[in-house]
Amino acid sequence: PRFSLFLVGKLISNRSKGVKVKEVMTAMLANSGIISALLLTVVFTALQVDLPQEDAVGSFLNMYYSAFLLIAVFYSFTATIMSSICYLYMQPLNGIALGTFMGEMALYYGEPITGMIITLW
């Protein structure tokens, strides 16, 4: 959670004057949702392909490979869903309601980016 809040804090604090926060956040959520969905397709494809060592089914390399891919599926799926839900929920908000929502739910804006980073790791 700290890294997610750090990312959102830097995003908001380093914006240029005259830039509307809602536009920046909706663009960020749309981009992170698309990239997370693309990463999810890549990870699912990697799960369906053969294991690194086809001869030794129970080897540690195969198990670690499968475990890391399953972790990547979880984080990319979560990032895609969180981006979509936050994007849809934020669209009708304006003014004070938007500021309140972004202040209380700031963690949910940084989580998709963190999920993408963990998926790429």
Side-chain angles (χ1 to χ4, degrees), residues 33-55:
I34 291 168
I35 293 170
S36 297
L38 291 173
L39 286 172
L40 185 62
T41 60
V42 169
V43 173
F44 268 129
T45 304
L47 273 172
Q48 295 173 1
V49 178
D50 293 331
L51 295 172
Q53 294 179 339
E54 295 177 24
D55 304 344

Side-chain angles (χ1 to χ4, degrees), residues 3 7 31-32 34-44 46 65 67-77 79-80 111-121:
F3 186 67
L7 287 174
N31 291 334
S32 64
I34 291 168
I35 293 170
S36 297
L38 291 173
L39 286 172
L40 185 62
T41 60
V42 169
V43 173
F44 268 129
Y65 178 75
F68 283 133
L69 286 178
L70 289 174
I71 291 169
V73 165
F74 170 75
Y75 278 104
S76 59
F77 180 75
T80 304
E111 281 296 318
I113 298 172
T114 307
M116 286 188 314
I117 291 170
I118 292 172
T119 299
L120 291 172
W121 169 65

Side-chain angles (χ1 to χ4, degrees), residues 8-72:
V8 173
K10 288 296 181 184
L11 177 73
I12 292 173
S13 66
N14 290 331
R15 67 185 168 92
S16 301
K17 290 186 178 184
V19 174
K20 296 183 180 180
V21 177
K22 182 176 180 178
E23 293 174 4
V24 171
M25 293 306 239
T26 54
M28 182 203 64
L29 287 171
N31 291 334
S32 64
I34 291 168
I35 293 170
S36 297
L38 291 173
L39 286 172
L40 185 62
T41 60
V42 169
V43 173
F44 268 129
T45 304
L47 273 172
Q48 295 173 1
V49 178
D50 293 331
L51 295 172
Q53 294 179 339
E54 295 177 24
D55 304 344
V57 177
S59 71
F60 282 119
L61 179 64
N62 289 344
M63 286 190 260
Y64 277 116
Y65 178 75
S66 298
F68 283 133
L69 286 178
L70 289 174
I71 291 169

